[in-house]
Amino acid sequence: MIDLKEVAEYIDLAAANASSVQQLQGKFPISLSDAYKVQELSIGRRLTRGEKLIGYKMGFTSKAKMEQMGVHDLIWGRLTDSMHVADDGFITLDKFIHPRAEPEIAFRIKEDIKEEVALSEIQSIVDGLAPAIEVIDSRYENFKFSLEDVVADNCSSSAFVIGDWLSPDTEIKNLDIQLSVDSEVVHAGNSNAILDNPWQSLQEATRLITAYGDTIKAGQIILAGAATPAIYLKACNRVTVNVSGFKTISLNVE
Ligand code: OOG
Ligand code: MG
């Protein structure tokens, strides 16, 4: 029997020490449902250390991401307050293993959500929309993982920047999105790359997260998943994300 607490400690220590570990296969071969349990246990360790759960993230909601990482299933992970970086703030490379950045859209949830919400109703559960930069940092060697590996590793979540919240009526479909490094556009995409409609990602989040047994709470944030491939970060990079109609946001790497 694999002790899921031991697997959670293995992943949590890799993240806390910013040092990569071997993929679970072989050492800890676990099922997908056990991988979600490991995620909960490893985030539980962070919550015990005083971090607060402030939302969730969706992953592999675009073909660009699925193809870049070789995983073709929707996944979800948890966000804590310690992952939040102010717009135009800094991250320090030595706190990460091999961080990458990607452009996202964030939803702020208006009311507690305990069950799946239909796509036709989904806008009514949001009170703010914002552009976001997600920093992902797989705890596995060479940024390589299986579906179970990445889920156990909290879907590579490591940091995120959120722009100013705009009204929930703001258009988020069919918007141009640009990911730039040092003022050069590295990836250009469209918000409809996120499940053909970014609202669909929030719909899936309500389905998957409530099926697991979590309540998405009023005020929490959901990241919709990247619209373009991610890029590796290097010292002194300044990353910006522009989602048309929203103010450009940025992240500095030191
Ligand atoms: C896994 C997380 C995927 C997204 O936006 O699709 C993700 C990874 O790529 O390391 O965050
Ligand atoms: Mg992401």
Side-chain angles (χ1 to χ4, degrees):
M1 265 286 273
I2 294 168
D3 179 357
L4 299 183
K5 278 202 189 133
E6 194 188 324
V7 190
E9 182 181 20
Y10 176 76
I11 295 288
D12 177 46
L13 290 181
N17 299 332
S19 87
S20 63
V21 290
Q22 268 179 25
Q23 288 70 14
L24 300 181
Q25 211 55 35
K27 198 173 162 68
F28 302 112
I30 54 170
S31 66
L32 182 60
S33 64
D34 279 352
Y36 274 106
K37 193 71 204 161
V38 169
Q39 180 192 125
E40 185 182 356
L41 291 168
S42 92
I43 295 303
R45 293 170 58 95
R46 295 175 70 136
L47 302 182
T48 306
R49 296 197 292 267
E51 295 182 32
K52 303 266 173 297
L53 181 72
I54 60 164
Y56 299 87
K57 62 164 279 181
M58 296 297 287
F60 302 132
T61 51
S62 69
K63 280 210 180 65
K65 281 290 301 182
M66 291 183 213
E67 275 157 26
Q68 184 176 39
M69 305 315 298
V71 176
H72 293 79
D73 295 86
L74 286 186
I75 57 175
W76 61 274
R78 294 170 165 87
L79 303 174
T80 75
D81 59 343
S82 78
M83 301 175 190
H84 182 231
V85 178
D87 182 15
D88 203 25
F90 286 85
I91 60 164
T92 311
L93 266 189
D94 64 11
K95 299 239 161 60
F96 297 81
I97 302 167
H98 37 207
R100 289 170 146 171
E102 54 191 22
E104 305 229 0
I105 289 173
F107 302 97
R108 192 177 58 200
I109 303 299
K110 186 163 77 178
E111 59 203 58
D112 287 5
I113 302 298
K114 294 187 162 61
E115 53 192 33
E116 177 175 4
V117 176
L119 189 59
S120 56
E121 303 292 316
I122 202 75
Q123 274 181 262
S124 71
I125 71 164
V126 164
D127 69 5
L129 295 168
I133 302 173
E134 188 184 20
V135 178
I136 49 173
D137 191 28
S138 175
R139 266 55 68 163
Y140 301 111
E141 290 167 358
N142 305 315
F143 222 115
K144 288 244 157 40
F145 43 69
S146 66
L147 176 62
E148 292 79 10
D149 288 329
V150 68
V151 165
D153 182 26
N154 196 31
C155 306
S156 311
S157 312
S158 66
F160 61 88
V161 172
I162 308 254
D164 293 342
W165 294 105
L166 294 190
S167 140
D169 302 329
T170 311
E171 184 57 77
I172 55 167
K173 284 191 248 172
N174 198 21
L175 300 181
D176 289 331
I177 297 186
Q178 291 171 331
L179 173 65
S180 305
V181 178
D182 305 333
S183 306
E184 276 199 31
V185 177
V186 183
H187 288 300
N190 184 284
S191 61
N192 284 4
I194 305 165
L195 293 175
D196 295 328
N197 168 5
W199 288 107
Q200 186 79 51
S201 177
L202 183 58
Q203 198 285 320
E204 293 286 358
T206 67
R207 180 175 70 82
L208 293 167
I209 296 165
T210 63
Y212 185 83
D214 276 28
T215 297
I216 306 171
K217 304 243 171 62
Q220 287 187 331
I221 293 162
I222 309 263
L223 294 180
T228 75
I231 42 132
Y232 277 114
L233 297 175
K234 298 196 194 79
C236 304
N237 279 166
R238 177 176 165 79
V239 177
T240 55
V241 163
N242 182 263
V243 178
S244 69
F246 292 84
K247 209 181 94 209
T248 300
I249 55 172
S250 60
L251 172 70
N252 304 287
V253 183
E254 20 170 58

